[in-house]
Amino acid sequence: MFSLTLARKGYLNQLQYRKAHLLRMLASVAIGYVYMSIWAGISHDQSLGEYGLQGMLSYIAFNQACIWILFPTAGLGIDGMVRTGQIAHELMKPMLFFWYLLSREWGQLIYQFLYSTVPIYLIYVIFLQIQIPQHPLTWLWTLIALMLSAYIALCISYLVGITALWTTESRWLWHVHHALNMLLSGFFIPVAWLPGWLKTISLLSPYPCLQYYPTRIYLELDPVTVLGNSLIWCCLLTTAAILMTHTMRRKVEVQGG
């Protein structure tokens, strides 16, 4: 129940910035259109494989719409807690620190889904006529895939943030994570089209679970069995996060108050 309260507060907090988010959403639509224009130009000389031009445009559009649920607060704000000393107070709460932060972030991600992902997607569907699933169950599996990808993104962000307990600064690692996500998640280039060695690295990482698998499920190019990879990474990252939390409780170094 407390988790729902935290999520609700996170959601309501985001409602205060609706006008700013509207401008950001429109900018995101424009950026996605630029990406699609690039692939439209490439299609003059390339067949674009199993996607075709319309499929590739739909691939980019769907990724652009969904990206907003994959970037929670950088490091879940843990680095700021470390610098101010607030981390000591947060760790004293009876709720597991990991679940506490995730509950708070879920409210924000739900807001992003409703006020960024859905509007961007609808704009692309209405004005650019991107592909939509032919089978009703595909919508359900796509939603499940996005929920798993959002959870994986939260876990990664938590693990990035918690490094601030040892380095007192984790923002640089967040930027590395952002760059790896853009490269290895299939956001702009499908993972199957990456060079051999880079494709291998990508498939061994959790990044394809963030965008590549959900988008291919949406386009009905992959079976739902690929979600097994997402479930495995959810379990592995959750275990790592809980173990790191227990380690953090035993040895905490705080800068500041």
Side-chain angles (χ1 to χ4, degrees):
M1 194 66 182
F2 184 55
S3 295
L4 292 177
T5 301
L6 289 172
R8 181 175 178 273
K9 289 180 66 176
Y11 176 85
L12 293 176
N13 182 60
Q14 291 297 309
L15 286 176
Q16 303 176 54
Y17 309 103
R18 279 176 291 185
K19 291 182 179 179
H21 291 161
L22 174 62
L23 294 176
R24 187 190 64 184
M25 184 268 291
L26 294 175
S28 183
V29 170
I31 292 172
Y33 182 75
V34 170
Y35 292 154
M36 285 184 275
S37 298
I38 293 173
W39 279 108
I42 293 174
S43 70
H44 293 315
D45 300 317
Q46 303 291 335
S47 65
L48 301 182
E50 62 183 327
Y51 297 95
L53 175 57
Q54 190 61 26
M56 197 62 209
L57 297 182
S58 302
Y59 178 94
I60 294 297
F62 189 77
N63 275 336
Q64 184 66 25
C66 295
I67 196 172
W68 294 107
I69 64 172
L70 301 178
F71 285 106
T73 304
L76 302 191
I78 298 175
D79 59 333
M81 298 178 191
V82 172
R83 286 195 300 272
T84 62
Q86 183 185 352
I87 188 69
H89 172 71
E90 299 294 341
L91 289 173
M92 292 174 62
K93 293 180 177 178
M95 189 177 188
L96 183 65
F97 186 58
F98 173 59
W99 296 122
Y100 167 74
L101 290 184
L102 258 62
S103 298
R104 191 176 64 182
E105 287 294 320
W106 270 118
Q108 176 177 320
L109 292 186
I110 292 173
Y111 172 88
Q112 299 289 9
F113 178 77
L114 295 176
Y115 288 89
S116 293
T117 296
V118 172
I120 292 172
Y121 172 77
L122 291 177
I123 289 173
Y124 287 146
V125 169
I126 295 171
F127 293 100
L128 299 180
Q129 299 180 339
I130 66 170
Q131 293 180 14
I132 61 175
Q134 299 300 310
H135 302 92
L137 272 180
T138 302
W139 292 101
L140 174 62
W141 289 117
T142 300
L143 183 60
I144 292 173
L146 289 176
M147 290 175 64
L148 293 175
S149 65
Y151 180 78
I152 291 172
L154 285 171
C155 289
I156 294 175
S157 186
Y158 178 83
L159 292 172
V160 168
I162 209 172
T163 60
L165 272 297
W166 287 269
T167 66
T168 68
E169 177 57 73
S170 63
R171 280 178 294 185
W172 66 272
L173 192 54
W174 174 256
H175 294 309
V176 171
H177 160 58
H178 188 281
L180 289 175
N181 181 59
M182 293 291 101
L183 178 64
L184 302 179
S185 71
F187 168 70
F188 186 67
I189 302 175
V191 172
W193 293 357
L194 294 175
W197 61 274
L198 194 57
K199 175 184 175 182
T200 300
I201 293 175
S202 173
L203 293 175
L204 291 175
S205 75
Y207 289 106
C209 302
L210 297 181
Q211 295 200 274
Y212 186 61
Y213 296 146
T215 303
R216 285 184 61 84
I217 289 175
Y218 169 81
L219 294 175
E220 299 178 328
L221 295 174
D222 272 349
V224 297
T225 51
V226 297
L227 292 182
N229 296 320
S230 299
L231 289 172
I232 290 173
W233 277 108
C234 284
C235 294
L236 291 175
L237 292 171
T238 299
T239 301
I242 292 175
L243 290 176
M244 288 289 288
T245 301
H246 288 310
T247 301
M248 176 182 64
R249 284 183 175 276
R250 290 196 298 267
K251 182 178 180 180
V252 178
E253 295 180 4
V254 181
Q255 266 193 341

